[in-house]
Amino acid sequence: MRRKQRLLGWLADGALILYFVFALFPVAWMVILSLKPANQLFSTYFSFTPTLGAYRTVLGDSEGIPFVRFFVNSLVVSLGAVALSLVVGLPAAYASARWRFKGSENLMFTLLSFRFAPELTVIIPLFVLYQKLGLFDTYVGMVWVLQLVTLPLIVWIMRSYFADLTPELEQAALLDGYTRKQAFFKVALPLVKPGIAAVSLLAFIFAWNNFVFPLILTSSRAQTVTVGALSFLGGDRPKYNLTAAAALVSVVPPLLLALTIQRYLVRGLSFGAVKS
């Protein structure tokens, strides 16, 4: 019996290792592509002379493609979208968790539908409006449109965090002379900091990875890395090594952000899972 259980354990471990290799193989392939020189890009698979030339080209603008500027654009619009969504979304999430009225659930579902609706259904009207209002290819326009991605996510997730807080805490603060605004900022908000960290990271990743809005609503000045990385595929011979290097560079900010707030991230993702 023990031998059978040991064999099943080995089989399970082997299956997990195989799945781990399968899941990471695309990432490993991207790393290999980014390290290949241009003259060995199509001639070899794993036997080649590694070089960092692709990264120097991508970060040095030697191909006439300002990838560094696209990178900075992504940082600006993603951080701006998350910051604006937190300013608007946290009070909205708190209000929706504490006060219910006729039609409140319909209102929340309408807000959630903005997140799940295909972006292509609204991109043409947005393009026309942005051209008329002068928001096309601007930071303000990108931060504003990314609210369709980040705001519903923040409101819905933070609503559950605020709902898990007992209202007696805020009522006690009100009895001590706090205003409702003070109770929100000094009592409720500090208790959901792990949730804010988790939802901020998720919102940042969704804003950073968005492709459709930057593709249609920008041209060069406010273009982001998701669209800018495809510039290396143009021309008579696609430069896959440059595209791979650009893609790997573009994953650095979300990865660093996740590592920085991982202590809060674990607590935030499990916050409210078990009620007392």
Side-chain angles (χ1 to χ4, degrees), residues 11-257:
L11 291 175
D13 292 341
L16 287 175
I17 292 173
L18 288 176
Y19 178 77
F20 181 76
V21 172
F22 172 78
L24 287 184
F25 182 76
V27 180
W29 189 256
M30 292 281 286
V31 174
I32 292 173
L33 277 177
S34 68
L35 296 176
K36 281 188 174 185
N39 58 352
Q40 298 180 14
L41 192 59
F42 299 98
S43 59
T44 59
Y45 289 97
F46 299 103
S47 178
F48 60 93
T49 304
T51 177
L52 296 177
Y55 292 95
R56 286 192 292 266
T57 301
V58 167
L59 298 177
D61 195 17
S62 61
E63 289 286 324
I65 299 173
F67 183 79
V68 175
R69 182 157 61 84
F70 297 156
F71 188 90
V72 174
N73 291 345
S74 288
L75 282 177
V76 171
V77 300
S78 299
L79 291 175
V82 173
L84 182 59
S85 295
L86 287 175
V87 171
V88 177
L90 289 177
Y94 177 75
S96 65
R98 287 291 181 260
W99 291 282
R100 303 294 176 88
F101 54 90
K102 185 177 180 181
S104 60
E105 292 300 321
N106 293 332
L107 180 62
M108 291 300 297
F109 181 77
T110 301
L111 179 64
L112 184 64
S113 67
F114 294 153
R115 177 68 189 86
F116 293 127
E119 296 168 350
L120 293 176
T121 59
V122 298
I123 196 63
I124 295 178
L126 279 175
F127 177 79
V128 175
L129 287 174
Y130 270 45
Q131 290 282 4
K132 296 289 185 181
L133 298 175
L135 295 176
F136 180 80
D137 200 21
T138 62
Y139 288 150
V140 175
M142 282 305 303
V143 169
W144 188 264
V145 74
L146 286 177
Q147 301 306 301
L148 295 175
V149 178
T150 56
L151 185 59
L153 181 71
I154 289 176
V155 172
W156 266 91
I157 294 180
M158 291 307 303
R159 181 194 190 197
S160 63
Y161 289 134
F162 285 120
D164 286 338
L165 294 179
T166 175
E168 282 77 10
L169 293 173
E170 295 141 64
Q171 292 173 4
L174 294 176
L175 290 175
D176 287 340
Y178 279 33
T179 63
R180 175 62 70 175
K181 181 179 179 181
Q182 290 174 327
F184 170 68
F185 282 105
K186 295 184 179 181
V187 177
L189 210 56
L191 292 175
V192 296
K193 281 184 178 179
I196 296 175
V199 77
S200 298
L201 175 61
L202 293 175
F204 179 83
I205 291 174
F206 277 110
W208 182 273
N209 291 336
N210 190 268
F211 178 77
V212 174
F213 290 144
L215 177 65
I216 304 300
L217 300 179
T218 64
S219 59
S220 60
R221 186 170 49 186
Q223 195 171 98
T224 60
V225 291
T226 52
V227 180
L230 297 180
S231 302
F232 297 106
L233 292 177
D236 55 346
R237 189 174 185 180
K239 303 175 180 64
Y240 295 114
N241 56 339
L242 300 184
T243 305
L248 290 173
V249 170
S250 67
V251 304
V252 171
L255 183 61
L256 290 180
L257 186 60

